[in-house]
Amino acid sequence: MSAYPILLTRPLLAGFAAGVLISLGACSAANPDAPAKVAGKAVLADQTHQAERAELQESSAAPAELQRKREVMGKAIRPSVAYAPLSMAVQADALPPGYRDANREQYQKLTNNPVHAVAETPVSTFSIDVDTGSYANVRRFLNGGQLPPQDAVRLEELVNYFPYAYPLPTGNAPFGINTELAVTPWNSESRLLRIAIKASDLRVDELPPANLVFLVDVSGSMDRRDGLPLVQSTLKLLVEQLRAEDKVSLVVYAGSSSVVLEPTAGSNKAKIRAAIDQLTAGGSTAGESGIQLAYQQAQQGFIEGGINRILLATDGDFNVGISDFESLKQLAADKRKTGVSLTTLGFGTDNYNEQLMEQLADAGDGNYAYIDNLREARKVLVDQLSSTLATVASDVKIQVEFNPAQVSEYRLLGYENRALKREDFSNDKVDAGEIGAGHTVTALYEVVPVGGKGWLEPLRYQHAVKAGSPSGELAWLRIRYKTPGQSVSKLLEQPIQAADVRAVSQASEDLRFAAAVAAFAQQLKGDKYTGRFSLAGSAELARNARGDDRFGLRGEFVQLVELAQSLQTADSRTTTARVQQ
């Protein structure tokens, strides 16, 4: 039965129920012995029809919520008119006003990178980041007809979501390095510097043996279509990629944690799938307990020289045991020293703790992805499985020294929560990001050439640039990394030439597309640096730089920009209408 007739007839049913209750009250007053008999029958009826009553209680939810739960349960809702008043009364008592409308999602609040004067701060240092969760999360909001919160948008994760045709490594380095310079699409006075890193790829059959622990949140907050059911489908995609030399454990947590599957060979796929299929959701969320148990299982099945990784699938809504942010981060940071890394896979809406998911993966030497649909699950755990599991370089840091003879000002686009101090670059005890097999990493700087109009007012007493600096060099690029398992870093260096600047139309498709994504991210965040460059401009720039879009990801991006443009227009109209009232 459709939810809509139930919602439309509820006032009539409520009125009818009120009349019945008044009548029963009158009967009770006339006959004091009646309550005991009626109560006995009511208890029996409640036990007999408990399932029907629960189903009808759901009918008071919004139609979208009703449809979601119907899909999860896999059966039609069969309401009983007799229970309508009772179910509504119970729900009104159980939930505070506006509970379902409250947004409990958590995001890290970051201040955008400032503009730097080269004369004062010539060196920029940061850790690389290969996470992509922010893009999928932004897509979830837009596809749901809503502009994302500004704190949900991390520019570097949007840019790094896409594959790029960067040069492969040569020599002994595990990744190739490439730079490109073009006029900035949104500011003709500045230049856009792209630093590109491309790691060597590995086929799945070339990967070392893997010891994987699936750590699954089965608490009540995961009892939704985009929660546990999507987790189960996602993990089963990965199971199909397992080899005989791989092994998998399954740990779950709700109010407490437990081992569902001891280390099992990847060839025993039926047993692994059966363990995943039997999971059900309910209870509170003892995330810290689950993480501790998962690390124990990882140590139990540890493979020397292999891939030892925990895949945490959760909405991050921890509420039992250690639940404060810094303690959980420290737990992951301490455990990474055992040789076991932690990848986080985010699921769910409304109560999603994105800040915890992203930072846990960072502290645990893993990566973070948000799974909003099965297509994304396939991208992360099938198409990019080598990148997700196999690390080819760890603690990767980038440092750029700008030449004051060529550059007056600069700003780094994104990477706000990856900033490092200048002295951290050479300190091998300072943790940084990891690069997986086949990963591409893109970093963008907007720089103002000497003589160009920048963002800062000139200083009256600024010292003139001394002669003798290499005037042909725009900047000097340094990259440090460690071979996995090693404690001493290696240094790569190369110059960036100032004369290599191109017009936007003559830049590579990869630079133009990355620039379009960067512009879009800034526009969603309400940044001031893109000026009059509109969402329509971002869409057009991306549309003309789609290139060989094998998986359709760039085409999807153009559609999302156009969708954001529609939502932004509608939001502006609503705001204007409110002001005029």
Side-chain angles (χ1 to χ4, degrees):
M1 181 183 295
S2 171
Y4 296 100
I6 298 174
L7 293 172
L8 292 172
T9 58
R10 186 180 297 133
L12 176 61
L13 296 177
F16 173 75
V20 173
L21 290 174
I22 292 172
S23 300
L24 288 175
C27 293
S28 298
N31 185 4
D33 296 331
K37 296 179 182 178
V38 173
K41 292 180 181 179
V43 171
L44 179 60
D46 185 61
Q47 293 174 343
T48 304
H49 301 291
Q50 184 176 5
E52 292 185 0
R53 184 176 304 188
E55 290 169 358
L56 185 61
Q57 183 173 338
E58 291 182 343
S59 70
S60 61
E65 179 74 3
L66 183 67
Q67 178 63 25
R68 177 182 64 76
K69 292 192 175 182
R70 180 186 298 169
E71 292 172 0
V72 173
M73 298 301 293
K75 59 184 180 181
I77 294 180
R78 302 180 302 277
S80 171
V81 173
Y83 291 115
L86 180 60
S87 65
M88 288 189 292
V90 169
Q91 187 176 46
D93 291 340
L95 300 178
Y99 176 82
R100 294 190 183 278
D101 297 329
N103 187 340
R104 299 179 301 281
E105 298 195 6
Q106 300 179 48
Y107 298 96
Q108 184 179 10
K109 294 186 179 298
L110 296 169
T111 302
N112 294 333
N113 287 325
V115 173
H116 293 284
V118 175
E120 301 169 1
T121 314
V123 178
S124 171
T125 309
F126 64 98
S127 161
I128 63 97
D129 180 17
V130 296
D131 295 339
T132 60
S134 180
Y135 179 85
N137 194 33
V138 165
R139 178 177 61 201
R140 185 254 298 185
F141 277 102
L142 293 174
N143 284 334
Q146 181 182 355
L147 291 171
Q150 292 185 1
D151 291 331
V153 182
R154 284 191 297 281
L155 186 149
E156 71 279 7
E157 294 191 23
L158 269 65
V159 172
N160 286 329
Y161 180 84
F162 301 91
Y164 299 97
Y166 295 158
L168 289 169
T170 57
N172 297 324
F175 49 81
I177 305 170
N178 178 257
T179 61
E180 188 175 358
L181 188 66
V183 176
T184 307
W186 55 84
N187 182 1
S188 60
E189 295 284 345
S190 68
R191 306 291 179 260
L192 195 63
L193 169 62
R194 185 204 66 186
I195 299 171
I197 293 176
K198 171 67 175 178
S200 301
D201 205 353
L202 291 174
R203 299 192 310 271
V204 173
D205 59 2
E206 295 176 325
L207 294 175
N211 164 42
L212 305 178
V213 179
F214 296 163
L215 175 57
V216 181
D217 179 356
V218 293
S219 64
S221 63
M222 295 290 285
D223 186 16
R224 59 177 76 197
R225 180 179 59 82
D226 54 4
L228 184 57
L230 183 55
V231 170
Q232 292 169 307
S233 299
T234 296
L235 294 181
K236 284 189 286 187
L237 286 176
L238 177 54
V239 169
E240 293 306 309
Q241 310 304 309
L242 297 175
R243 306 158 300 176
E245 60 266 34
D246 302 324
K247 48 188 172 182
V248 169
S249 306
L250 178 58
V251 175
V252 299
Y253 64 89
S256 60
S257 57
S258 61
V259 177
V260 174
L261 182 70
E262 296 287 347
T264 301
S267 56
N268 199 344
K269 292 179 171 56
K271 183 178 180 181
I272 301 172
R273 283 195 298 264
I276 295 172
D277 284 335
Q278 73 174 2
L279 302 181
T280 57
S284 54
T285 314
E288 180 265 342
S289 170
I291 293 174
Q292 294 277 16
L293 185 56
Y295 275 108
Q296 292 176 17
Q297 285 297 114
Q299 287 299 323
Q300 179 179 329
F302 193 87
I303 299 175
E304 193 68 39
I307 298 170
N308 298 279
R309 187 175 294 255
I310 296 169
L311 284 85
L312 169 60
T314 177
D315 57 17
D317 190 12
F318 296 175
N319 52 38
V320 175
I322 297 178
S323 58
D324 69 279
F325 180 70
E326 292 302 328
S327 296
L328 287 167
K329 273 185 62 177
Q330 190 58 50
L331 172 62
D334 292 340
K335 293 296 185 180
R336 75 182 178 216
K337 299 173 185 176
T338 65
V340 178
S341 55
L342 173 66
T343 286
T344 58
L345 304 175
F347 293 84
T349 58
D350 300 331
N351 62 333
Y352 183 53
N353 190 342
E354 203 257 9
Q355 178 183 7
L356 177 62
M357 299 298 288
E358 193 261 347
Q359 292 292 294
L360 268 183
D362 181 26
D365 277 356
N367 40 38
Y368 156 62
Y370 179 79
I371 309 297
D372 57 335
N373 54 49
L374 270 181
R375 182 183 179 187
E376 183 66 15
R378 181 173 181 83
K379 175 180 180 289
V380 174
L381 295 179
V382 178
D383 300 335
Q384 299 176 354
L385 180 61
S386 298
S387 302
T388 302
L389 297 183
T391 300
V392 298
S394 59
D395 291 341
V396 183
K397 306 170 187 175
I398 294 178
Q399 186 171 83
V400 181
E401 180 185 354
F402 289 99
N403 181 1
Q406 290 288 338
V407 181
S408 61
E409 301 170 18
Y410 70 90
R411 67 185 186 98
L412 173 62
L413 308 188
Y415 295 93
E416 282 85 1
N417 64 351
R418 302 287 178 156
L420 296 175
K421 298 176 181 178
R422 181 175 174 180
E423 60 268 26
D424 292 341
F425 182 75
S426 300
N427 187 346
D428 286 342
K429 293 184 178 180
V430 175
D431 182 58
E434 279 63 46
I435 296 180
H439 261 146
T440 58
V441 180
T442 303
L444 298 171
Y445 282 93
E446 185 175 0
V447 302
V448 177
V450 170
K453 180 177 174 54
W455 304 281
L456 305 176
E457 290 296 322
L459 298 178
R460 178 178 176 85
Y461 305 107
Q462 183 178 2
H463 296 291
V465 177
K466 294 181 179 180
S469 62
S471 59
E473 294 178 0
L474 181 88
W476 187 257
L477 172 63
R478 303 181 182 93
I479 299 179
R480 281 196 177 274
Y481 73 95
K482 296 175 186 173
T483 301
Q486 301 298 311
S487 58
V488 179
S489 66
K490 299 178 181 179
L491 175 65
L492 300 174
E493 297 180 283
Q494 69 178 52
I496 301 172
Q497 298 299 326
D500 293 339
V501 62
R502 303 176 181 178
V504 179
S505 59
Q506 299 301 313
S508 68
E509 288 178 339
D510 283 340
L511 185 146
R512 285 183 284 133
F513 187 81
V517 179
F520 178 59
Q522 293 175 88
Q523 289 156 348
L524 288 179
K525 292 174 70 67
D527 285 0
K528 58 187 176 183
Y529 297 108
T530 53
R532 295 183 179 181
F533 195 75
S534 64
L535 285 170
S538 296
E540 184 65 18
L541 183 61
R543 187 180 297 109
N544 294 330
R546 287 178 59 177
D548 183 17
D549 191 16
R550 178 183 174 189
F551 298 105
L553 298 177
R554 295 190 178 190
E556 179 194 55
F557 171 76
V558 173
Q559 294 174 354
L560 290 179
V561 178
E562 292 172 343
L563 181 57
Q565 186 179 6
S566 300
L567 292 171
Q568 192 176 71
T569 301
D571 191 49
S572 298
R573 289 173 180 170
T574 302
T575 302
T576 302
R578 287 174 180 170
V579 171
Q580 292 175 346
Q581 287 177 353

